Amino acid sequence: LYISHFLSYSSKVFSSQNQARAFTILRHPIKRSVDLFYYQQRATWIGSDSYDIQMGQMSLKDFVSSDKVVENFVVRSLADIPGELDV
């Protein structure tokens, strides 16, 4: 069993002598961002690093237009693009 978030690194582990089967489980990136927004609006119990009092007063439309939107790590890792994407 081999588990990794980094597809590009995983492909180097396997060869014609060391074969494997792969499967992927993905969340829809928009659904993930919306769920994160609603979670962080109410997540006062998880500490100051994740909870943001401003998000409790934001609408979803405000959140999407703000700099608080989470970059899409999955898209970057599947495309083998390091760092943040400019959107």
Side-chain angles (χ1 to χ4, degrees):
L1 180 61
Y2 180 82
I3 299 171
S4 176
H5 296 286
F6 303 102
L7 184 61
S8 61
Y9 297 125
S10 302
S11 65
K12 296 172 185 164
V13 173
F14 303 107
S15 66
S16 58
Q17 275 73 35
N18 188 22
Q19 297 182 6
R21 293 185 182 170
F23 69 94
T24 302
I25 300 172
L26 299 173
R27 280 185 79 185
H28 193 284
I30 294 174
K31 171 84 168 107
R32 181 180 170 273
S33 292
V34 170
D35 288 348
L36 180 63
F37 166 70
Y38 287 120
Y39 177 76
Q40 287 183 333
Q41 278 192 316
R42 295 183 291 279
T44 58
W45 59 89
I46 59 176
S48 61
D49 290 344
S50 296
Y51 177 69
D52 186 341
I53 196 161
Q54 291 178 345
M55 289 187 57
Q57 300 164 353
M58 277 186 178
S59 69
L60 183 57
K61 185 176 180 179
D62 293 338
F63 171 70
V64 171
S65 300
S66 76
D67 62 347
K68 297 182 183 299
V69 174
V70 177
E71 63 176 279
N72 197 329
F73 170 79
V74 174
V75 171
R76 284 191 298 103
S77 63
L78 291 174
D80 199 18
I81 300 171
E84 294 182 345
L85 290 176
D86 294 328
V87 286

